[in-house]
Structure formats: structure tokens, C-alpha cells
Amino acid sequence: EFFRFLEADGFTDGPVEIIPGSSADSIKALTWYWASEWYYDAQHYEDALSYAGKALDASRKEGLEEIACDCCNVLSIAYFRKSDYHRSLEYARQTLETARRREDENRIAYSLNTLAGICLASKQPAEGIKYITEAIRICERQKDSLKLAVRCGMAAELYHSLGEDDKSLEYSQRAYDINSAMGLKDKAAIRLSQMAAAQIALGQFEEARTSLL
């Protein structure tokens, strides 16, 4: 009934299916995981952490690596929202480790982006660069323009934090070009703001004025 509700609400792309013959613990893991996603989306972070933790324990008990990987991701981003960067980083690294073991490029990419964001927030931009650079390579290989723009935007923020504003401008310009070509005006406006921040730092005040206008 919970899974039917998620589908009807448009929260999932389709029905969450339970494989016939699944053990009680595997069904609990799946249900608790989706509960954690639901609560995270509703910004009820304590509930998201509670259900993701229970789902992680159950999925590890059953050897369900894919669910365990996704649980670690929810734990990471929920702790990030609570500004607990230490635990957020711990679970993000577990997500990446599991994704690498499974050779799952999509999960590798989002965990790398999460790690880069944590590094930016916790003032470790140099550490974040290595994560976002790999994430960008994956997006380029997959030809995923939408995600590539997001990753380039993150790279722009990291390089700006490092004071390497020539590179920040390069990545923000790239992100802007992608978003503009896709007709995403709101996202393109964010990229223009990133470009202006780099241009101001580089002393390019007229160019920054143009970007902001």
C-alpha cells in the first residue's frame, strides 16, 4: 500500500516491486529505504536518518548491496543537511566504496558529487576537486549534459573557493553554455552568478557587470 501511494503521488517513476519469495528482512530493507527517501524529500531529516539506518542494517544482513549503497547516500545527504559533515563524509565514502565494488557508474558519479559538496561546505576545496573531476569525466563519457552542467557548476564553486578563478570562470562558462543550450533559464542564471563571482575576483569588473545584467 505504501509503494502504491509513492507511485500515485509521482514520487517513484513506477511501482516498487517486491520479488516473489523475498525474505522478511529484505522487504523491510526496501520499505524502510523508501520511507527514508520520502522523509528526506519532506525535509524531516531525523525520520530520514532513522529509517535509512534501519534499512542499512537490514540490507547488509541480507547482502543487498544496491539498497545498502542507496541507504548510505540518504544518510550522507541527511547528515549534510544537519551540518554534521563528519558523518556525512563517512557515509558518502561508504557509498562510493560500494558503488566502485559494483562498478556502478551512476552511483559512483552521484557519490563523487556528494563528496565534492561536503568538501566545499567543510572548507576542503582541494580535496573536493579530485572528486568532482572524476564525476565530470563520467558525465562526459555518458554524454549526460544536464548532470555535466551541475558537476561543472560544482567545480566552479570549488575553484573559486581555492582562489583559482581562471578555472572557476572556465567551468562556470561551460555550465552556462550547457544550460543555455537546453533552454534552462533559471539554471543558466545561477551559472551567470558564478561567472560574475570569478570575474570580480579576476578584476574583470565590466565583464562581471554584463554577467549580472
Side-chain angles (χ1 to χ4, degrees), residues 140-199:
E140 290 172 336
R141 189 160 58 246
Q142 294 181 332
K143 302 187 186 326
D144 190 333
S145 296
L146 185 59
K147 289 181 181 176
L148 179 58
V150 173
R151 309 311 187 225
C152 287
M154 176 65 75
E157 295 282 356
L158 287 162
Y159 277 117
H160 180 61
S161 183
L162 278 170
E164 296 184 32
D165 286 288
D166 52 341
K167 290 184 179 178
S168 178
L169 183 57
E170 175 188 336
Y171 278 104
S172 55
Q173 177 72 62
R174 187 178 181 189
Y176 171 75
D177 291 342
I178 294 169
N179 288 151
S180 295
M182 298 177 76
L184 301 174
K185 293 182 179 179
D186 289 348
K187 293 186 184 299
I190 294 171
R191 307 309 170 205
L192 283 171
S193 178
Q194 291 175 323
M195 288 168 59
Q199 287 164 337

Side-chain angles (χ1 to χ4, degrees), residues 176 192-193 195-196 199-200 204-213:
Y176 171 75
L192 283 171
S193 178
M195 288 168 59
Q199 287 164 337
I200 290 169
Q204 300 174 5
F205 301 113
E206 188 58 35
E207 290 86 344
R209 181 175 178 277
T210 302
S211 295
L212 291 171
L213 292 176

Side-chain angles (χ1 to χ4, degrees), residues 52-69:
K54 291 165 67 173
L56 180 60
D57 290 342
S59 59
R60 283 177 170 169
K61 179 180 177 182
E62 291 295 297
L64 305 171
E65 276 202 326
E66 186 172 306
I67 296 178
C69 186

Side-chain angles (χ1 to χ4, degrees), residues 81-146:
R81 292 297 183 186
K82 291 173 64 65
S83 300
D84 188 338
Y85 301 131
H86 177 74
R87 278 193 279 191
S88 179
L89 193 61
E90 174 188 339
Y91 282 109
R93 284 172 173 159
Q94 289 184 41
T95 306
L96 180 59
E97 180 183 339
T98 303
R100 287 199 193 282
R101 187 165 58 248
R102 292 178 55 80
E103 299 181 350
D104 186 331
E105 276 206 332
N106 287 328
R107 285 181 170 83
I108 290 171
Y110 74 55
S111 60
L112 287 167
N113 192 62
T114 299
L115 282 162
I118 296 167
C119 289
L120 178 63
S122 59
K123 304 187 187 307
Q124 303 175 67
E127 180 77 4
I129 291 296
K130 69 179 184 182
Y131 295 126
I132 204 61
T133 300
E134 184 180 354
I136 287 171
R137 286 199 300 268
I138 292 173
C139 289
E140 290 172 336
R141 189 160 58 246
Q142 294 181 332
K143 302 187 186 326
D144 190 333
S145 296
L146 185 59

